[in-house]
Amino acid sequence: MSHITLIRHGQANSGAKDEVSYDKLSDLGHTQAGWLGSHLRETDTHHTRLFTGTLTRHIETADGMQTDLEPIRDARLNELEYFTMATLMQEQHGIDFPLDQGGFTVHLPMVFDYWRSGKLEGAPETWEHFHGRVNDALNEIAAGNGPALVVTSGGLISMAMSQAMHLDIPAMARLALAIMHTSMHRLFPIGGHLSPVLFNAVPHLDRSDRRNAQTHI
């Protein structure tokens, strides 16, 4: 098995309230991706493969990193459709979309709970399908040759970490809320299983003139 470094995309359109409008990097998001790529080159970090989801923000982040690796696009690495499910929460249960960071801390675990319990009629996919596609994609990547970079999204990273550590929904939601843009998270094969050895690392942003670029939304 090979180790996997999961990377959340750069900051996207944080003012969006639907999937299409959200799916593009902001100016800061492009800058964050470039800084991460420079860090990987300067530290001579060894990766032989690059995977991304098929969303625009994934592709733009990987392109901005300039790794010189040929990307493999895999839709199984795409994010859960949070905005779509938030709309269903509002329409079916009268739960409004959050307006600030504090609101997300309550709203996100609620969405996860309703989704997993089958209380969102017409959800884009089931919880079980999301769980399965994340597990299948990462295990296939880990079975390949050479360390891999995987550019994806925060919800998927939190699912991968919760699978590795058998976390419940509240813990998974707390992980998702903590994940910063262009942060790195590593899963390393130990005893035949992928184990977390790195979480939410942003060395490329850990300096005084870039602290404001340590963004979550």
Side-chain angles (χ1 to χ4, degrees), residues 157 161 175 177-186 198-203 216:
I157 295 169
M161 291 292 173
L175 286 181
L177 290 163
I179 294 172
M180 289 183 279
H181 294 113
T182 62
S183 56
M184 295 181 286
H185 316 255
R186 185 162 297 142
L198 184 72
F199 178 75
N200 219 19
V202 287
H216 298 86

Side-chain angles (χ1 to χ4, degrees), residues 14 82-83 97-109 177 217:
S14 58
Y82 175 73
F83 291 104
F97 190 85
L99 300 177
D100 53 34
Q101 180 70 20
F104 278 102
T105 64
V106 176
H107 191 264
L108 185 63
L177 290 163
I217 58 175

Side-chain angles (χ1 to χ4, degrees), residues 29 58 81 86 106 150 164 194:
H58 300 158
E81 292 192 26
V106 176
V150 175
L194 290 172

Side-chain angles (χ1 to χ4, degrees), residues 142-161:
N145 294 321
L149 292 171
V150 175
V151 180
T152 180
S153 293
L156 187 140
I157 295 169
S158 67
M159 172 60 84
M161 291 292 173

Side-chain angles (χ1 to χ4, degrees), residues 130-148:
F130 181 55
H131 184 283
R133 69 173 166 91
V134 172
N135 183 71
D136 291 347
L138 295 184
N139 279 325
E140 286 180 25
I141 293 170
N145 294 321

Side-chain angles (χ1 to χ4, degrees), residues 15-30:
K17 291 188 177 180
D18 62 79
E19 304 296 338
V20 174
S21 299
Y22 181 70
D23 193 26
K24 59 182 178 181
L25 293 189
S26 66
D27 290 342
L28 176 58
H30 285 286

Side-chain angles (χ1 to χ4, degrees), residues 23-154:
D23 193 26
K24 59 182 178 181
L25 293 189
S26 66
D27 290 342
L28 176 58
H30 285 286
T31 300
Q32 290 167 330
W35 284 337
L36 175 58
S38 295
H39 168 77
L40 294 176
R41 289 189 297 275
E42 290 166 2
T43 56
D44 197 23
T45 304
H46 178 64
H47 294 92
T48 62
R49 298 177 293 152
L50 172 64
F51 295 81
T52 82
T54 62
L55 299 174
T56 299
R57 57 191 185 273
H58 300 158
I59 294 169
E60 289 181 340
T61 300
D63 288 348
M65 290 164 57
Q66 298 182 348
T67 63
D68 293 329
L69 297 171
E70 186 66 28
I72 299 171
R73 315 288 187 205
D74 189 338
R76 293 177 300 175
L77 299 170
N78 287 352
E79 179 65 298
L80 58 95
E81 292 192 26
Y82 175 73
F83 291 104
T84 300
M85 290 190 288
T87 298
L88 295 176
M89 290 281 285
Q90 188 170 37
E91 294 173 349
Q92 297 174 17
H93 302 284
I95 299 171
D96 291 334
F97 190 85
L99 300 177
D100 53 34
Q101 180 70 20
F104 278 102
T105 64
V106 176
H107 191 264
L108 185 63
M110 194 179 301
V111 169
F112 284 174
D113 181 59
Y114 275 58
W115 182 27
R116 184 173 186 176
S117 302
K119 297 177 182 177
L120 290 180
E121 184 177 344
E125 64 181 325
T126 64
W127 174 275
E128 291 73 20
H129 182 268
F130 181 55
H131 184 283
R133 69 173 166 91
V134 172
N135 183 71
D136 291 347
L138 295 184
N139 279 325
E140 286 180 25
I141 293 170
N145 294 321
L149 292 171
V150 175
V151 180
T152 180
S153 293

